[in-house]
Amino acid sequence: PYKVITLVTGFCRAPLGPFILFSVVSRGVRFALIAALAKRYGTQVQHYIDRYGIILLILFTLICIMSYYLVG
């Protein structure tokens, strides 16, 4: 989905600086979370991430969008 996000960002003419900043932060958090789960639970969590990763990503994204509109 990252390619889609970059294409949509370019199509909407979003500023490049904030896009790069949020991209680095969000991808860093994602990889850090996966690494922390892998370290804590080992190979058991790999099956769970492979099976439910997209669903969890969609839920997390929806929560972030809703919280942005509720707080903002």
Side-chain angles (χ1 to χ4, degrees), residues 3-68:
K3 289 181 183 181
V4 174
I5 292 170
T6 57
L7 290 172
V8 170
T9 303
F11 180 74
C12 294
R13 298 182 188 261
L16 185 60
F19 171 72
I20 291 173
L21 175 69
F22 290 126
S23 180
V24 168
V25 170
S26 65
R27 291 176 71 82
V29 168
R30 175 182 168 220
F31 290 124
L33 179 62
I34 291 173
L37 288 172
K39 182 175 181 178
R40 174 146 172 102
Y41 298 108
T43 58
Q44 300 169 349
V45 78
Q46 182 65 37
H47 173 71
Y48 185 77
I49 291 172
D50 290 341
R51 186 168 183 180
Y52 300 109
I54 296 298
I55 294 170
L56 293 173
L57 176 67
I58 291 169
L59 287 174
F60 180 72
T61 303
L62 289 174
I63 290 170
C64 288
I65 291 170
M66 288 181 350
S67 63
Y68 174 79

